[in-house]
Amino acid sequence: MATSIISIQSQVVHGHVGNSAAVLTMQARGLNVAAVPTTLLSNHPGFETMRGRVLESELVGDLLRGVEERGLIETSRYIVSGYLGSRANGEVVAAFVKRARQINPDIIYICDPVMGDSNLGVFVADQVIECLLDHLVPLADILTPNQFELGLIARNSSSSWSQLELGASHVRAYRNASLIVTGCAFTDTPSNSLENVVFDGKQPARLISPRLPIVPVGTGDLFTGLLTANLANGRPLMEAASDAAKVVHDVLQSTIASGEHEMQLAQNIGLLASNVVDVA
């Protein structure tokens, strides 16, 4: 099977964030993935220590040139980017997406603009945010920010439904991009629930999921990996997002039952491999 997805994200030794969450998911759903790291770290920064480093942009760019030289752009349907680590890496990714579109005009770019969340605030450098806003977000066909990140992109608060809609209209002006805003909570969101809001037509869809008493790192990366795999397997965006949210919820439930805090993916390989969509 030809390469279907080029995934450019962080990589960790322990835990499941970035490509260490997304690649297994996409492979479990029958897709070949060219995984390009932007970092090599022992673990995500939520631990008391962390080893490794953000990779130099020259190395990331060299790896992407290798992807190009192997003809993987021609055989891929999607490029996914996540945590960048540095502005220079973001600029390299933007240049790669532009080259890829020249080689394969049908390729779809999915940007997960990893910048922060409501629990931690901003956790990347200002220069990374500037690069995302100036270069990568305008290139995206599909964007998957969380509620906090949409506020950064739109340069306004997205805490209320009206503010979110306003911010979404601003963001979607780029390439008429589709937008899935994850982890949303509004005044009218049912208690103990979260919403993923899908903007793909004139009327946004609010997909409600139960809120669980666990907030592991990497759920956004897992969601985007599942979403991309579903799209690559021919699912419409709404169904792809609904299934991705359901699987993330089920993985978190299993993680809670196991007594672990880091997402448990290996023991849930059956969930990751399933491509059954329940939109009821």
Side-chain angles (χ1 to χ4, degrees):
M1 182 187 295
T3 299
S4 297
I5 299 167
I6 300 166
S7 184
I8 312 164
Q9 305 190 54
S10 59
Q11 181 176 330
V12 296
V13 175
H14 170 72
H16 297 290
V17 299
N19 270 341
S20 298
V23 172
L24 175 62
T25 296
M26 294 185 283
Q27 290 173 332
R29 298 207 165 191
L31 300 162
N32 282 343
V33 185
V36 179
T38 56
T39 73
L40 284 175
L41 301 170
S42 58
N43 46 265
H44 63 74
F47 291 87
E48 61 274 11
T49 62
M50 183 177 68
R51 307 294 178 177
R53 67 179 191 273
V54 173
L55 296 181
E56 300 80 5
S57 61
E58 293 80 9
L59 174 55
V60 175
D62 209 30
L63 294 173
L64 290 171
R65 280 290 183 185
V67 166
E68 186 176 344
E69 290 166 354
R70 297 288 70 75
L72 303 185
I73 292 173
E74 291 90 332
T75 63
S76 294
R77 286 174 283 168
Y78 294 88
I79 298 171
V80 181
S81 72
Y83 184 82
L84 300 170
S86 69
R87 180 188 178 94
N89 281 346
E91 291 172 346
V92 164
V93 172
F96 175 75
V97 172
K98 292 176 183 177
R99 294 199 310 271
R101 285 206 172 117
Q102 292 177 339
I103 296 167
N104 179 2
D106 294 327
I107 205 161
I108 295 171
Y109 173 42
I110 300 177
C111 176
D112 183 3
V114 179
M115 295 180 281
D117 61 40
S118 57
N119 294 319
L120 299 174
V122 173
F123 51 64
V124 300
D126 290 344
Q127 294 88 343
V128 173
I129 295 176
E130 292 169 1
C131 182
L132 279 162
L133 301 190
D134 294 343
H135 298 294
L136 291 172
V137 168
L139 285 174
D141 298 295
I142 301 173
L143 284 156
T144 62
N146 59 40
Q147 187 176 12
F148 178 84
E149 289 162 341
L150 180 67
L152 293 176
I153 296 170
R155 295 181 170 88
N156 73 346
S157 171
S158 293
S159 57
S160 71
W161 173 251
S162 60
Q163 289 170 331
L164 187 92
E165 282 194 302
L166 181 63
S169 65
H170 169 78
V171 171
R172 294 193 69 208
Y174 301 118
R175 296 180 59 82
N176 194 29
S178 297
L179 175 67
I180 302 99
V181 188
T182 62
C184 298
F186 310 107
T187 55
D188 63 340
T189 301
S191 60
N192 299 317
S193 299
L194 289 172
E195 301 186 45
N196 295 322
V197 185
V198 181
F199 294 87
D200 190 35
K202 292 183 179 180
Q203 189 67 32
R206 299 171 65 171
L207 307 177
I208 298 175
S209 300
R211 185 195 292 264
L212 295 173
I214 184 174
V215 189
V217 175
T219 53
D221 306 319
L222 178 61
F223 176 89
T224 300
L226 288 160
L227 176 81
T228 306
N230 286 338
L231 293 172
N233 281 322
R235 297 286 183 174
L237 184 66
M238 194 72 66
E239 292 186 0
S242 178
D243 175 72
K246 182 179 184 303
V247 173
V248 170
H249 172 268
D250 290 348
V251 167
L252 295 184
Q253 272 197 323
S254 176
T255 299
I256 293 170
S258 70
E260 300 288 341
H261 183 70
E262 295 293 310
M263 287 192 300
Q264 300 299 296
L265 298 188
Q267 71 185 46
N268 289 295
I269 196 69
L271 284 174
L272 301 184
S274 171
N275 204 28
V276 176
V277 176
D278 179 8
V279 294

